[in-house]
């Protein structure tokens, strides 16, 4: 095969916050490079890793002003496929984000560095018959070589393990290979034996049939199934089917949904080692996952948001579990929605995608109503357990102990007496969200944020949950000196204390980010609870997702009132999603469950609908309200966010941005301060852009963003564009 001719220049993506690609002369790249190969380039005074996006014959710059590539980093093959490059370019365009940053966000960290290389596929070394003969001859004059052969006498070893066992250098191992005594071969993980699948329930069978009968190719399926209805079981069956055709399955899960339990379930059912990728694993493992996916060896890929960008050679199916989950939207830097990009990727790959959730986002419900998504419902629990019964407890005028009403405490006592388990949910860490002086009214605020400091009593510290600021908690009021400091409101630490006072004999597990930090700690709690002895579980969202606690029959929701009158139009939707998630932990097996919802607003219309008629009816009402108010999903939004230490700079920039907006006056709103105006010492504001047509908004932004870059005031703030913003 003749090497492709060398073009005049290459267009390279570089991780810099600039909207363009950059042209370089081939330099040392003798044979033609392909898109997706990494190179080293000079960029101003720095040397940066870049990714070749295309070759070209002409540049906007005169050729003599272009720099040559400094080095080719991937000399054999691209580390990013053409399909990925197209997807990432689409992302850069849709999200108005610099293409180099979009691309480097997708790469595993090891490949962002110039010394990073794709690893070789895992191999092992095997003793050949000639090597066996040489071994039998005895050490002779080459004892070291003999030692290597002896180390392989009991069976093949990975190169590293062999070097260790035989105390051999890599060169020595190479010598015995070259002598024809030892051969290298690919190492396959020993496949576990696939497990038994339960017969599908009637509902599951209907969904599976609909999916199997769907024509090949792209379709988006919204799998709207109550907690415990067997959605995971449906994923397993679909995955089995697709894997059976030799195709890859990509499963995306929320950040705290990637549990050993889930992996075990996939591994043991499908008889296949899932390749796992998320930002929490070691850089080497993430690189291995990327490489295995690129080779097509990884058949089942499981990961969080960032795994969406893994290479796929033989794609067959994308599944997103808990598709409504907020962690699928990246909230800094390149602010993409993994759900929306996953749908786009499935469309381009022409494969089906399944969005599974018990609480679909209003966006997804609207897509289903419009016929863009196919809506499949699972309304019954797969185990036949009845849905939990709701009890709303009015907190007004009640005696409350550490956040718990007398009725809640009584129900907890009764449940424990029946030797069942209780989960108490409160989405707030620490002892109390405020520390205040009973004499003068002083309270501890963060110096850097518009927020109270949370009192962590056990460590005698005050923490800011927004910027990470930590300081010792004062003994006396810093304002008036009184010994009258008290916590106001409650957090999980306080709940733990109150509950262990009321139920001193009962095992209590607190699960939040302060208590459960290390890998395996949550697992240990989950295992203990699954043991089945009566116990109390106290915790935040960490408890609410993904775990099955078959003997929990009572869930107490301490307080979700904050959301009821929030200025954020998505607050109610999110509150309902959390509530339904948590409630779903109750009574999963043969024990019926109860959910106690404590509130100061039992009369709240939305809350009543949710409790009485369920998420579906509730969401339909919210959707109708959004339609009337002209809010998403009936309008398309973008924000320009800006922050700086001084308010004046932020306002000046956003005022000039408003002037520069090419759309009609009724499509631009603000500037407004962010919900939390000051965070981490920076003042944050935004400008809201809205249109009832996605394409109109896109083309306006295409004209607008270059203008923003040219604004004098833009240099004095940090600013970004956020498409389909989820936070304000
Ligand atoms: P979801 O993902 O919707 O919460 P799961 O797939 O985890 O639901 O199923 C909930 C429980 O029901 C699990 O314990 C699972 O083993 C069980 N289950 C699911 N499908 C079936 C079935 N067809 N027959 C019996 N049990 C099932
Ligand atoms: Zn005071
Ligand atoms: Zn702070």
């Amino acid at each position: 095969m003749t090497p492709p001719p060398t073009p005049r220049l290459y267009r390279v993506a570089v991780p810099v916050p600039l909207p363009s690609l950059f042209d370089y002369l081939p330099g040392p790249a003798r044979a033609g490079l392909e898109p997706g190969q990494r190179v080293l380039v000079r960029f101003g005074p720095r040397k940066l890793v870049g990714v070749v996006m295309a070759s070209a014959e002409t540049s906007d710059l005169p050729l003599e002003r272009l720099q040559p590539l400094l080095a080719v980093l991937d000399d054999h093959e691209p580390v990013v496929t053409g399909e990925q490059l197209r997807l990432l370019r689409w992302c850069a365009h849709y999200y108005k984000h610099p293409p180099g940053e979009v691309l480097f966000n997708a790469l595993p960290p090891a490949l962002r560095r110039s010394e990073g290389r794709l690893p070789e596929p895992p191999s092992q070394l095997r003793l050949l018959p000639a090597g066996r003969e040489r071994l039998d001859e005895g050490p002779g004059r080459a004892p070291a070589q003999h030692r290597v052969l002896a180390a392989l006498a009991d069976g093949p070893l990975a190169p590293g393990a062999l070097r260790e066992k035989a105390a051999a250098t890599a060169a020595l191992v190479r010598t015995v290979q070259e002598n024809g005594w030892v051969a290298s071969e690919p190492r396959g993980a020993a496949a576990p034996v696939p497990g038994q699948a339960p017969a599908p329930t009637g509902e599951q069978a209907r969904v599976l049939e609909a999916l199997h009968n769907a024509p090949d190719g792209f379709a988006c399926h919204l799998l709207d199934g109550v907690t415990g209805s067997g959605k995971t079981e449906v994923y397993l069956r679909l995955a089995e089917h697709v894997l059976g055709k030799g195709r890859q399955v990509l499963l995306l899960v929320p950040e705290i949904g990637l549990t050993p339990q889930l992996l075990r379930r996939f591994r043991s059912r499908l008889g296949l080692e899932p390749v796992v990728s998320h930002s929490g694993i070691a850089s080497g493992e993430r690189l291995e996952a990327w490489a295995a996916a690129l080779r097509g060896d990884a058949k089942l890929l499981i990961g969080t948001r960032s795994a969406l960008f893994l290479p796929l050679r033989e794609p067959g199916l994308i599944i997103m579990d808990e598709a409504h989950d907020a962690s699928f939207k990246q909230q800094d830097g390149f602010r993409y929605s993994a759900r929306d990009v996953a749908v786009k990727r499935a469309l381009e790959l022409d494969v089906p995608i399944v969005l599974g959730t018990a609480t679909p986002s209003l966006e997804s419900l609207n897509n289903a109503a419009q016929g863009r998504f196919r809506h499949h419902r699972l309304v019954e629990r797969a185990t036949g357990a009845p849905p939990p019964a709701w009890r709303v407890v009015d907190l007004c005028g009640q005696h409350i102990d550490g956040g718990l009403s007398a009725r809640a405490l009584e129900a907890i006592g009764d449940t424990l007496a029946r030797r069942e388990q209780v989960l108490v949910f409160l989405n707030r860490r620490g002892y109390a969200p405020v520390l205040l002086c009973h004499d003068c009214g002083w309270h501890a605020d963060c110096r850097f944020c518009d927020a109270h400091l949370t009192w962590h009593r056990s460590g005698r510290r005050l923490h800011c949950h927004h910027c990470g600021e930590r300081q010792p908690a004062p003994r006396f009021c810093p304002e008036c000196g009184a010994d009258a400091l008290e916590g106001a409101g409650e957090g999980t630490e306080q709940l733990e204390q109150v509950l262990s006072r009321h139920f001193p004999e009962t095992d209590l597990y607190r699960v939040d980010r302060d208590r459960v930090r290390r890998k395996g700690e949550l697992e240990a709690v989950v295992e203990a609870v699954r043991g089945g002895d009566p116990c109390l579980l106290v915790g935040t969202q960490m408890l609410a997702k993904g775990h099955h606690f078959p003997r929990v029959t009572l869930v107490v929701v301490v307080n979700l009132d904050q959301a009821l009158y929030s200025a954020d139009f998505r607050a109610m939707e999110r509150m309902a999603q959390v509530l339904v998630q948590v409630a779903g932990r109750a009574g999963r097996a043969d024990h019926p469950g109860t959910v106690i919802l404590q509130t100061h607003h039992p009369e709240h219309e939305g809350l009543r609908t949710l409790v009485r008629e369920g998420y579906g009816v509730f969401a339909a009402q919210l959707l109708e309200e959004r339609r009337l108010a002209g809010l998403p999903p009936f309008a398309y939004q973008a924000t320009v966010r800006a922050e700086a230490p001084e308010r004046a700079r932020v306002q000046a920039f956003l005022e000039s941005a408003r002037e520069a907006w090419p759309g009609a006056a009724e499509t631009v709103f603000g500037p407004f301060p962010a919900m939390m105006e000051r965070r981490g010492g920076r003042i944050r504001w935004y400008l809201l852009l809205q249109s009832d047509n996605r394409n109109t908004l896109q083309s306006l932004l295409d004209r607008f963003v270059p203008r923003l870059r040219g604004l004098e005031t833009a240099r004095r703030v940090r600013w970004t564009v956020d498409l389909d913003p989820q936070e304000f």
Side-chain angles (χ1 to χ4, degrees):
M1 217 175 75
T2 50
T6 306
R8 307 250 317 251
L9 50 95
Y10 290 108
R11 290 211 213 295
V12 177
V14 192
V16 292
L18 293 168
S20 54
L21 303 175
F22 298 89
D23 292 348
Y24 287 88
L25 300 170
R30 262 178 274 283
L33 295 179
E34 286 177 59
Q37 276 176 291
R38 290 174 316 135
V39 290
L40 193 68
V41 297
R42 192 174 295 289
F43 194 83
R46 297 181 292 164
K47 286 181 185 173
L48 294 178
V49 175
V51 174
V52 172
M53 301 297 281
S55 51
E57 295 301 319
T58 59
S59 176
D60 293 341
L61 290 174
L63 289 191
E64 57 278 12
R65 286 194 44 202
L66 297 182
Q67 301 253 3
L69 300 177
L70 295 176
V72 177
L73 299 177
D74 304 311
D75 33 10
H76 296 304
E77 53 168 350
V79 296
V80 189
T81 66
E83 181 263 326
Q84 285 175 294
L85 292 178
R86 282 192 299 281
L87 180 74
L88 293 165
R89 290 191 84 151
W90 177 84
C91 286
H93 179 257
Y94 181 81
Y95 289 104
K96 315 296 167 210
H97 199 82
E101 289 191 349
V102 169
L103 192 73
F104 276 74
N105 171 81
L107 283 182
L111 291 182
R112 297 175 202 167
R113 292 190 295 271
S114 59
E115 53 304 347
R117 293 289 182 281
L118 273 190
E120 293 292 313
S123 63
Q124 60 187 11
L125 296 163
R126 176 187 294 281
L127 194 59
L128 295 172
R132 173 76 59 187
E133 279 172 28
R134 172 67 191 79
L135 179 64
D136 294 341
E137 286 165 17
R141 271 185 296 169
Q145 295 184 6
H146 189 264
R147 213 168 48 236
V148 173
L149 302 179
L152 289 172
D154 295 336
L157 288 174
L162 173 62
R163 288 199 300 272
E164 198 170 314
K165 187 168 172 191
T169 61
L172 180 59
V173 173
R174 214 160 36 241
T175 309
V176 295
Q177 266 179 271
E178 281 161 9
N179 289 348
W181 297 332
V182 167
S184 174
E185 61 188 19
R187 169 162 45 105
V193 185
Q196 280 292 313
T201 62
E203 283 189 334
Q204 284 170 335
R206 269 197 300 283
V207 170
L208 288 165
E209 199 179 283
L211 275 141
H212 288 320
N213 291 341
D216 274 346
F218 171 76
C220 184
H221 301 275
L222 178 62
L223 181 57
D224 176 359
V226 302
T227 322
S229 60
K231 294 184 293 296
T232 312
E233 190 56 41
V234 171
Y235 307 154
L236 285 163
R237 292 216 168 236
L238 293 173
E240 196 170 24
H241 183 75
V242 171
L243 293 166
K245 293 193 290 186
R247 298 197 164 262
Q248 288 168 299
V249 175
L250 173 62
L251 170 66
L252 300 170
V253 298
E255 256 152 33
I256 52 182
L258 190 57
T259 62
Q261 274 176 337
L262 178 91
L263 294 178
R264 213 178 300 135
R265 197 163 164 196
F266 272 82
R267 182 186 301 125
S268 65
R269 263 294 294 289
L270 300 175
L272 186 81
E273 196 57 42
V275 169
V276 176
S277 179
H278 60 97
S279 53
I281 61 173
S283 166
E285 274 178 74
R286 228 173 130 185
L287 181 62
E288 292 280 353
W290 182 280
L294 189 64
R295 291 192 304 269
D297 291 351
K299 294 302 180 202
L300 175 60
L301 298 146
I302 305 186
T304 53
R305 182 179 67 222
S306 61
L308 166 63
F309 295 114
L310 284 170
L312 294 171
R313 285 284 181 213
E314 295 283 340
L317 173 67
I318 301 177
I319 303 170
M320 180 174 271
D321 189 29
E322 311 283 8
H324 66 279
D325 194 90
S327 73
F328 285 122
K329 166 99 183 182
Q330 181 149 300
Q331 290 293 14
D332 53 13
F334 166 38
R335 294 168 170 263
Y336 66 99
S337 154
R339 182 198 60 210
D340 296 349
V341 179
V343 173
K344 170 70 182 172
R345 190 170 190 193
L347 173 71
E348 293 301 322
L349 292 172
D350 200 26
V351 300
I353 176 168
V354 175
L355 304 178
T357 166
T359 51
S361 68
L362 298 191
E363 279 77 5
S364 293
L365 285 173
N366 187 50
N367 277 325
Q370 304 289 315
R372 284 187 289 266
F373 294 1
R374 296 200 44 193
H375 199 163
H376 310 271
R377 291 185 183 80
L378 297 172
V379 301
E380 276 162 17
R381 289 179 166 189
T383 52
W390 289 86
R391 278 167 56 191
V392 177
V393 171
D394 185 356
L395 288 176
C396 296
Q398 295 256 342
H399 174 73
I400 297 168
D401 190 1
L404 293 167
S405 62
R407 283 181 62 194
L409 283 166
E410 194 181 319
I412 293 171
D414 292 348
T415 309
L416 294 172
R418 286 198 305 273
R419 301 197 54 75
E420 292 164 4
Q421 299 175 334
V422 179
L423 188 157
V424 182
F425 173 81
L426 176 60
N427 220 1
R428 210 187 279 140
R429 295 180 288 127
Y431 190 83
V434 192
L435 180 68
L436 59 76
C437 171
H438 215 59
D439 276 8
C440 77
W442 172 88
H443 41 74
D445 287 335
C446 180
R447 277 182 290 161
F448 307 109
C449 305
D450 292 332
H452 299 305
L453 291 169
T454 300
W455 184 25
H456 288 249
R457 189 168 163 178
S458 60
R460 297 201 187 87
R461 295 181 81 79
L462 297 171
H463 292 188
C464 177
H465 289 180
H466 303 282
C467 73
E469 159 75 359
R470 289 172 174 225
Q471 45 182 266
R475 280 270 337 257
F476 303 102
C477 174
E479 194 72 24
C480 73
D483 183 7
L485 294 180
E486 280 179 13
E490 48 284 317
T492 45
E493 190 188 326
Q494 185 172 164
L495 270 181
E496 176 184 23
Q497 197 185 73
V498 169
L499 285 165
S500 46
R501 183 154 42 73
H502 280 275
F503 306 101
E505 307 295 316
T506 307
D507 286 337
L508 190 151
Y509 304 97
R510 191 178 107 207
V511 175
D512 57 31
R513 267 197 290 134
D514 299 314
R515 183 50 62 85
V516 174
R517 286 217 199 99
R518 272 183 296 278
K519 214 169 155 180
E521 282 180 323
L522 181 58
E523 240 335 71
V525 171
V526 171
E527 283 311 312
V529 174
R530 286 167 69 91
D533 286 341
C535 69
L536 278 158
L537 271 161
V538 176
T540 55
Q541 291 252 39
M542 251 187 166
L543 268 184
K545 291 183 193 167
H547 302 291
H548 296 196
F549 299 118
R551 291 196 66 94
V552 167
T553 56
L554 174 66
V555 167
V556 178
V557 178
V558 177
N559 193 331
L560 278 176
D561 283 352
Q562 258 180 345
L564 296 181
Y565 297 98
S566 165
D568 182 345
F569 70 85
R570 285 197 178 85
M572 279 295 283
E573 177 185 354
R574 292 205 191 101
M575 186 275 301
Q577 288 166 342
V578 170
L579 196 54
V580 171
Q581 286 277 342
V582 184
R585 304 301 114 196
R588 291 173 62 96
D590 43 348
H591 311 267
T594 304
V595 183
I596 291 184
L597 172 62
Q598 301 191 134
T599 173
H600 283 102
H601 304 283
E603 76 299 337
H604 188 283
E605 206 51 53
L607 206 54
R608 284 164 65 122
T609 307
L610 180 62
V611 166
R612 288 195 191 156
E613 304 186 59
Y615 183 82
V617 174
F618 166 86
Q621 285 186 4
L622 267 192
L623 200 55
E624 181 57 17
E625 286 169 24
R626 297 260 190 99
R627 197 178 64 76
L628 293 173
L631 286 169
F634 302 97
Y636 299 91
Q637 294 183 331
T639 54
V640 180
R641 301 164 178 282
E643 56 174 63
E646 295 93 23
R647 185 176 289 115
R649 291 194 203 175
V650 176
Q651 285 174 330
F653 166 66
L654 290 176
E655 290 295 349
S656 50
R658 192 188 160 109
E659 295 285 300
W661 174 245
E666 66 272 15
T667 57
V668 53
F669 306 86
F672 302 115
M675 290 266 173
M676 182 174 292
E677 186 190 8
R678 200 168 55 101
R679 190 163 81 188
R682 305 180 72 87
I683 302 291
R684 308 146 71 232
W685 284 57
Y686 69 96
L687 195 66
L688 176 65
L689 313 163
Q690 183 170 312
S691 167
D692 54 11
N693 183 299
R694 198 189 283 282
N695 294 331
T696 309
L697 182 63
Q698 278 286 324
S699 54
L700 286 170
L701 286 168
D702 284 337
R703 286 158 62 198
F704 180 52
V705 176
R707 292 186 192 175
L708 290 181
R709 287 205 183 86
L711 288 178
E712 183 63 36
T713 49
R715 295 197 200 127
R716 311 190 59 225
V717 299
R718 216 188 270 163
W719 64 275
T720 56
V721 177
D722 189 357
L723 260 289
D724 310 316
Q726 299 290 311
E727 284 181 353
F728 294 93

